[in-house]
Amino acid sequence: MKISEQDKTALFLGIDGGGSGCRVRLCDGAGNVIGQGEAGAANTLLGLAKVFDEIQAATSQALAQAGLPADTIAQLHAGAGLAGLSLARERDSLATYPHPFATFRAEADAYAACLGAHGGDDGGIVVVGTGSCGLALVGGEVHTVSGWGFALSDQGSGAALGRTALRQALTEHDGIVGSTPLGRWIMAHFQNLPEAIFLWAESASPGDYATFAPWVFAAADDNEGSAMALLGRTAADIARLVEALIAKGAPGVALVGGLSKPILPWLPDQIRPMLVAARHDPLHGAIMLARSELVEP
Amino acid sequence: MKISEQDKTALFLGIDGGGSGCRVRLCDGAGNVIGQGEAGAANTLLGLAKVFDEIQAATSQALAQAGLPADTIAQLHAGAGLAGLSLARERDSLATYPHPFATFRAEADAYAACLGAHGGDDGGIVVVGTGSCGLALVGGEVHTVSGWGFALSDQGSGAALGRTALRQALTEHDGIVGSTPLGRWIMAHFQNLPEAIFLWAESASPGDYATFAPWVFAAADDNEGSAMALLGRTAADIARLVEALIAKGAPGVALVGGLSKPILPWLPDQIRPMLVAARHDPLHGAIMLARSELVEP
């Protein structure tokens, strides 16, 4: 079912689902924002039932804001950028999952973010949030770097930064290296008991690790050497992702995600000429996805 | 129930329970080895029911070898070094768990290994196996370093080495750094699919990660620079644990565990004077524990 660009009666929903939350934006056919909503984490690795529960909750808010009845959901043309969809296994599950919309196109969150950041033109993004990953659209081709999960990838992310800070704190506590204010601050949070960190880590999610990233930024603001060194390494990791995307042909790279602003001052000078500002946010990219499914080019 | 050193009728069982297996040694009152046995992993984090199942299986073998009926288990004076017992939570669970022996004293595996390595005298050990940790007995005091689990500690271990090699392989595959023979070898094992590593990592144990450690040693034997660099970092991590134990007063440190021999040539020269050979193995230390529970000093 394709419609023309001129059909102004269509309703479009953009969905941005990540590991810490889900946001939606509802637009009319002319592109006016008529509602928005927010709900819980919607990474597909958390299970599609949860993902669609959160999407539904956020969409209900957006429809209510727009003054539309809840069952209008069945008329929406939805586009989604969802964390987890870089995995074929997750895309396969989603393909057969019953969605509540008129049409639905979902891609990895980084893909939608890249569409938005460059308005569909060639370019790259590096997502620096709880996780990290890089993606570039170059001449119709998609290139990805990193983003293979907290255990083995996601370098430069908030979760990886938090984990490094916790490791460092334990190493200091054991007397393996000299102690620092940041390390003592973290250990005090765990009652100065390594066992307390161990027990916490048994069930800690990447999001839990990422809660310690602001501690590192705060300590670095106090000119603490160890925290500044940690941020320097995080920034170097991000720089390598940017450089890899430029090497794959991206004319410029936008940093997006919660840590993209605070990490800026720490980035090495040589990558600054490679950085561009995002033209639009990931929800804009998600709405572009929704329209691409529907509108004749 | 204490007996004299002269009671030669007593039977002593030493137990060494780790993340990859459980070994026992049965000795008569004169210290002669009369049986031994082996069974599956007996880290207390795997659950005490499993731990005692494995201990029981290994003990049955040892009793059979000694020509003793299976119900002799109730007469054994057992001492155990068990992985996981550095955690107070695990020690508390064990304290109320019904054991099948006449007497039973359990300590962390590193503690029993240190008793064995120095025959009860002052000294330290660094366990370099699937996990890592350091422990020193100095003037009756116990000092520990590292060993707070794979997520945040255990630097220099086989699991940490395997994880670093996998991370490196992914980074090379994505074009973030140049590729190496080791990285290509690892990626080929995963069908050159980052997603395959991601899915593997979702359920990989430290022991699974450690299976890649021998790959790094093999590549380093071929003079591969990246593998040699990984081993240099692993060796430096181990050296820091050795130095920390010396700083805590250990007169010498013995390396024990599966990687302690292969990593030797990679250790920095300055720690060699701090190293001593273990006098006895961890099972000997476990039998010392068993006797300490029973024999009047």
Side-chain angles (χ1 to χ4, degrees):
Chain A
M1 155 186 167
K2 299 274 180 184
I3 62 164
S4 77
E5 182 78 54
Q6 282 68 41
D7 186 348
K8 301 298 188 205
T9 66
L11 291 170
F12 296 98
L13 183 77
I15 301 162
D16 182 27
S20 48
C22 168
R23 295 182 308 140
V24 305
R25 183 181 295 158
L26 183 62
C27 289
D28 65 19
N32 303 304
V33 177
I34 57 176
Q36 46 198 10
E38 251 184 86
N43 184 319
T44 64
L45 296 173
L46 302 171
L48 291 179
K50 169 161 169 58
V51 167
F52 278 97
D53 279 354
E54 302 296 349
I55 289 176
Q56 204 118 17
T59 305
S60 298
Q61 292 171 27
L63 286 169
Q65 267 189 26
L68 294 167
D71 62 6
T72 313
I73 193 169
Q75 299 166 37
L76 302 182
H77 301 287
L82 299 180
L85 283 194
S86 52
L87 300 171
R89 179 191 67 183
E90 301 296 298
R91 291 194 297 274
D92 292 347
S93 306
L94 190 68
T96 56
Y97 199 91
H99 66 75
F101 305 109
T103 63
F104 181 56
R105 180 170 167 202
E107 297 285 350
D109 52 347
Y111 184 92
C114 193
L115 272 186
H118 304 286
D121 293 342
D122 281 3
I125 56 146
V126 171
V127 182
V128 194
T130 297
S132 77
C133 69
L135 186 143
L137 294 168
V138 182
E141 278 209 73
V142 183
H143 302 273
T144 60
V145 292
S146 188
W148 302 109
F150 181 52
L152 290 174
S153 184
D154 287 21
Q155 54 265 43
S157 68
L161 176 61
R163 178 172 54 193
T164 307
L166 291 176
R167 273 191 190 145
Q168 175 82 13
L170 274 173
T171 309
E172 294 175 13
H173 176 87
D174 281 348
I176 298 169
V177 296
S179 83
T180 67
L182 176 61
R184 290 193 294 273
W185 191 17
I186 290 173
M187 285 308 301
H189 178 73
F190 290 101
Q191 303 89 47
N192 287 307
L193 296 171
E195 174 155 358
I197 301 193
F198 176 94
L199 299 177
W200 173 87
E202 281 189 321
S203 59
S205 69
D208 293 331
Y209 279 96
T211 60
F212 290 93
W215 295 40
V216 184
F217 281 100
D221 281 346
D222 282 347
N223 288 311
E224 195 194 311
S226 71
M228 295 166 78
L230 292 181
L231 290 185
R233 272 151 59 192
T234 294
D237 282 338
I238 293 167
R240 294 200 306 175
L241 301 185
V242 171
E243 288 169 330
L245 294 175
I246 295 287
K248 288 172 194 288
V253 173
L255 300 189
V256 302
L259 289 191
S260 59
K261 281 210 171 56
I263 201 66
L264 265 184
W266 300 93
L267 294 175
D269 285 337
Q270 82 270 12
I271 72 147
R272 296 191 187 278
M274 307 173 191
L275 298 181
V276 296
R279 273 154 61 186
H280 306 285
D281 69 4
L283 278 170
H284 184 94
I287 288 184
M288 288 177 69
L289 275 178
R291 296 187 66 90
S292 73
E293 189 70 356
L294 193 67
V295 177
E296 298 281 3
Chain B
M1 155 187 166
K2 297 274 181 185
I3 62 167
S4 76
E5 181 80 53
Q6 283 68 41
D7 185 348
K8 300 300 189 205
T9 66
L11 291 169
F12 295 98
L13 182 77
I15 302 162
D16 181 27
S20 49
C22 167
R23 295 181 311 138
V24 305
R25 182 180 295 158
L26 183 61
C27 289
D28 64 20
N32 303 303
V33 177
I34 57 175
Q36 46 198 9
E38 253 186 83
N43 184 319
T44 63
L45 296 172
L46 302 170
L48 291 179
K50 169 163 167 59
V51 167
F52 278 98
D53 279 354
E54 302 295 350
I55 288 176
Q56 203 118 17
T59 305
S60 298
Q61 291 170 26
L63 286 170
Q65 267 189 26
L68 293 167
D71 62 5
T72 312
I73 194 168
Q75 299 167 37
L76 303 182
H77 301 289
L82 299 180
L85 284 195
S86 51
L87 300 170
R89 179 190 67 185
E90 301 296 298
R91 289 194 298 275
D92 291 348
S93 306
L94 190 69
T96 57
Y97 199 90
H99 66 74
F101 305 109
T103 62
F104 180 55
R105 179 169 169 204
E107 297 285 349
D109 52 347
Y111 184 92
C114 193
L115 271 187
H118 303 286
D121 293 341
D122 281 4
I125 55 146
V126 172
V127 181
V128 194
T130 296
S132 78
C133 69
L135 185 143
L137 294 168
V138 181
E141 277 210 72
V142 182
H143 302 273
T144 60
V145 292
S146 188
W148 301 110
F150 182 52
L152 289 175
S153 184
D154 287 23
Q155 53 266 43
S157 68
L161 176 61
R163 177 171 56 193
T164 307
L166 292 176
R167 272 190 191 147
Q168 175 82 10
L170 275 172
T171 310
E172 294 175 13
H173 177 87
D174 280 347
I176 298 169
V177 296
S179 82
T180 67
L182 176 61
R184 290 193 293 273
W185 191 18
I186 290 173
M187 286 308 300
H189 177 73
F190 290 102
Q191 304 89 48
N192 289 307
L193 295 172
E195 174 154 359
I197 301 193
F198 177 94
L199 298 178
W200 174 88
E202 281 189 321
S203 60
S205 69
D208 294 331
Y209 280 96
T211 61
F212 290 94
W215 297 39
V216 185
F217 282 101
D221 281 345
D222 282 348
N223 289 311
E224 195 194 310
S226 71
M228 294 166 80
L230 291 182
L231 290 185
R233 272 152 58 194
T234 294
D237 282 338
I238 294 167
R240 293 199 306 175
L241 301 185
V242 171
E243 289 169 329
L245 294 175
I246 295 288
K248 287 172 195 286
V253 174
L255 300 188
V256 302
L259 289 191
S260 58
K261 281 209 172 54
I263 201 66
L264 265 183
W266 301 93
L267 294 174
D269 285 337
Q270 81 270 13
I271 71 146
R272 296 191 188 278
M274 306 173 192
L275 298 181
V276 296
R279 272 154 63 186
H280 305 287
D281 69 3
L283 278 170
H284 184 94
I287 288 185
M288 289 177 69
L289 275 178
R291 296 186 66 90
S292 74
E293 190 67 358
L294 192 65
V295 177
E296 298 280 1

